[in-house]
Amino acid sequence: MIVVGVLAPGAATAVSAIARRAVASADSRVEVVGLAPAGADGDRLLLELASAGVGHATVTRSAAATIEPADLELALRYLPDVRVVVLVAPEAALLRTAASGSSWSDAALVLVGP
């Protein structure tokens, strides 16, 4: 499972909670794709995810507020064995990329939030 979202104040709680629940309820790998702030706040968020068993190999450390569609496309190609892609409060630009990437890998696409 891939959980896609921005790990920033407010959104980080939803992304982290969904990823943690997925680890607790599934017997499969869970990865977060997204953005995390640089510095101590980002370090703390990534350490919390890692200690919960959530991978974050495709999290970029950035002050950006949105994930670039090209970054999501690359992550979906990097993690081809995914069966579920969860988008948390996605930007409209990510929907086409996620739909395309999940369809070629035959993964379910789940949207959470607005």
Side-chain angles (χ1 to χ4, degrees):
M1 173 184 288
I2 292 179
V3 180
V4 181
V6 176
L7 296 169
T13 303
V15 172
S16 180
I18 290 167
R20 288 171 191 241
R21 278 189 219 126
V23 167
S25 66
D27 189 21
S28 62
R29 180 171 145 197
V30 178
E31 291 281 339
V32 169
V33 172
L35 303 171
D41 287 340
D43 292 344
R44 181 184 49 76
L45 290 167
L46 295 177
L47 284 171
E48 287 174 5
L49 288 172
S51 59
V54 178
H56 51 78
T58 54
V59 171
T60 302
R61 303 297 292 268
S62 172
T66 60
I67 301 164
E68 293 294 323
D71 291 337
L72 176 56
E73 182 179 6
L74 182 62
L76 291 172
R77 290 181 187 275
Y78 178 71
L79 302 165
D81 59 341
V82 171
R83 296 293 159 242
V84 179
V85 177
V86 179
L87 287 127
V88 179
E91 295 286 325
L94 292 180
L95 294 176
R96 180 178 295 138
T97 302
S100 175
S102 62
S103 69
W104 66 258
S105 66
D106 201 27
L109 180 59
V110 178
L111 303 176
V112 177

